[in-house]
């Protein structure tokens, strides 16, 4: 994007394309007297090759050359990378209106006639170089604005990820500046800084997982806090702490541009560009672009923090709305949601879905004898034991009623569900919670009903619940403290 930046940094390069050696010598001498660098081409083909290789600032192109003439060459130059931005001065012996029109139609910026008037040539070249610089500056301004728009659009997307935004920012900035490395530092409470995002040239060392210590920024921190940019064209001449110099040498940094990222008037971090191949003068438009980007990054960080806090609050509210306050299991609402979800999935994938309904035997008598506080503690211990018997993340344990619990087992056959149910029964009984008023055992026990089905779209989860409830009813009728399976034929 910044291929013509060298036009400003270095002495302008003039490409002279003319088959007349005498003319080329004359033009070279004049241009070199003006302080320009000069390259030559003796025909149109060589001119095209030289342009692609050298990327000159301006081309002096003879209209009449063997092979590819000046007009055709000018036209072809427009299709080469950078050709449409490079001024072309056609040198011609023709002054008729048709030739002038042909020159401009081919893409020429201006023309000059033979015999060449040196003063006119010098003036035209200076004017075209100045115009080229203005065009380059406008183009870079447009690119900068486009970059800002692109990043802003990314940041305005629904539910933006901060990591994604930061990674996009460093990548776009490195491309925009043609820098060797761009990083975003985040300051910690200790005022040390860590790299949270990086875009770096291959073969250069990465700064990820490295720490920039607080004392390195001590002298500049007040500047950062006021939003000032720190531009260092040559780090070899900078007055920096010795430890920081060693760190930058290891990172092969020779020039740096540091732009603060301020969040609510406090320093959050830095947007930093590194040049590693050579010292570099940072231009005002580059500094301005990074300042604007740092402001956009700060807005995004604020937006992301607000979004993440809102998301956490929403999740917390949803959790509270679907959680049983006493046992911390899923509540009846969550049970219904999850059963519907797994029913649809089972119908779609034609997989087994099993359900276990559990009931604490003679729990009313336990409450009456030991009190509601003891009853609540009993429910919590039973809930924990049931949860420990279900090991898969997809299994859901819910409080189904007062002393009733339910276990949804996706992708589980009735054989598997029977195994889980028996393990639940054994674990609860092993708790040894005293229950002297029970007619089954002197400790808390469970009755469990099991049912399983492969769901179909033309049935509903009520079918499965009814079957498990019937099995639970039979378990109670048959003496409690047992597991009963509802036969497939009855579902």
């Amino acid at each position: 994007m910044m291929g013509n930046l060298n036009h400003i940094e270095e002495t302008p390069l003039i490409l002279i394309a003319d088959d007349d050696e005498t003319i080329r010598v004359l033009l070279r001498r004049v241009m070199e007297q003006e302080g320009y660098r000069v390259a030559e081409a003796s025909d149109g083909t060589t001119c095209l090759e030289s342009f692609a290789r050298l990327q000159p600032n301006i081309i002096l192109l003879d209209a009449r050359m063997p092979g590819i003439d000046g007009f055709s060459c000018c036209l072809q130059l427009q299709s080469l990378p950078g050709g449409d931005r490079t001024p072309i001065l056609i040198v011609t012996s023709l002054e008729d209106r048709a030739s002038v029109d042909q020159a401009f139609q081919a893409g020429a910026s201006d023309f000059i006639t033979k015999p060449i008037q040196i003063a006119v040539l010098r003036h035209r070249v200076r004017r075209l170089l100045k115009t080229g610089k203005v065009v380059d500056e406008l183009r870079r301004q447009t690119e900068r604005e486009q970059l800002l728009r692109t990043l802003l659009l990314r940041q305005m997307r629904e539910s933006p990820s901060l990591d994604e935004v930061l990674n996009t920012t460093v990548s776009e900035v490195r491309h925009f500046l043609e820098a060797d490395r761009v990083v975003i530092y985040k300051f910690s409470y200790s005022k040390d800084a860590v790299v949270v995002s990086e875009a770096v040239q291959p073969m250069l060392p990465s700064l990820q997982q490295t720490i920039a210590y607080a004392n390195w920024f001590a002298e500049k921190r007040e500047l950062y806090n006021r939003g000032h940019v720190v531009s260092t064209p040559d780090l070899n001449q900078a007055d920096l702490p010795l430890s920081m110099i060693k760190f930058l040498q290891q990172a092969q940094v020779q020039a740096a541009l540091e732009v603060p990222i301020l969040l609510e008037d406090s320093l959050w971090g830095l947007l930093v560009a590194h040049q590693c191949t050579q010292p570099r003068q940072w231009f005002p438009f580059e500094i301005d672009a990074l300042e604007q980007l740092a402001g956009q990054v700060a807005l995004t960080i604020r937006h992301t923090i607000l979004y993440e806090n809102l998301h956490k609050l929403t999740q917390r509210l949803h959790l509270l709305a679907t959680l049983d306050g006493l046992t911390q299991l899923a509540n009846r609402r969550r049970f219904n949601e999850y059963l519907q979800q797994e029913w649809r999935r089972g119908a779609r994938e034609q997989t087994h879905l099993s359900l276990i309904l559990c009931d604490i035997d003679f729990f009313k008598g336990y409450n009456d004898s030991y009190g509601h506080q003891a009853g609540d503690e009993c429910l919590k211990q039973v809930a924990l034991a049931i949860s420990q018997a279900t090991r898969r993340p997809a299994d859901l344990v819910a409080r189904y009623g007062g002393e009733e619990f339910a276990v949804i087992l996706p992708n589980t056959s009735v054989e598997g569900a029977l195994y889980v149910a028996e393990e639940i029964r054994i674990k609860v009984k092993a708790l040894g919670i005293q229950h002297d008023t029970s007619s089954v055992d002197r400790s808390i026990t469970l009755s469990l009903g099991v049912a399983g089905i492969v769901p179909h779209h033309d049935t509903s989860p009520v079918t499965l619940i009814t079957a498990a409830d019937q099995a639970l009813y039979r378990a109670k009728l048959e003496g409690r403290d047992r597991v009963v399976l509802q036969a497939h034929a009855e579902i």
Side-chain angles (χ1 to χ4, degrees), residues 6-15 31 34-39 55-58 125 129-130 133:
N6 289 333
H7 293 185
I8 300 175
E9 295 176 309
E10 301 176 353
T11 303
L13 174 62
I14 313 294
L15 174 59
M31 293 297 99
E34 289 290 297
Y36 305 134
R37 295 176 297 134
V38 177
Q55 289 287 299
N57 299 77
I58 189 172
V125 169
L129 284 172
K130 183 177 180 181
K133 290 180 182 179

Side-chain angles (χ1 to χ4, degrees), residues 344-363:
R344 289 192 296 269
R345 189 176 69 84
R348 184 173 62 252
E349 300 176 4
Q350 283 298 283
T351 54
H352 289 276
L353 178 63
S354 293
L355 175 64
I356 304 171
L357 292 182
C358 322
D359 189 84
I360 300 178
D361 296 324
F362 302 110
F363 185 71

Side-chain angles (χ1 to χ4, degrees), residues 149-168:
R149 282 196 296 270
T150 300
L151 293 176
L152 185 58
L153 286 173
R154 285 180 180 270
Q155 294 162 9
M156 291 176 65
R157 291 187 308 176
E158 185 178 358
S159 305
S161 159
L162 181 58
D163 287 342
E164 180 184 347
V165 172
L166 297 183
N167 289 336
T168 299

Side-chain angles (χ1 to χ4, degrees), residues 185-189 191 221-227 259-270 294-295 297-299 301-302 305:
Y185 281 106
K186 180 181 179 181
F187 286 106
S188 64
Y189 290 109
K191 298 184 180 179
R221 196 171 183 92
E222 187 55 37
L223 292 174
Y224 296 147
N225 286 332
R226 295 201 303 268
V259 183
I261 300 173
L262 298 173
L263 202 63
E264 303 296 341
D265 297 325
S266 115
L267 184 61
W268 181 90
L270 295 173
V297 170
L299 287 173
I301 293 169
R302 280 197 289 270
I305 291 173

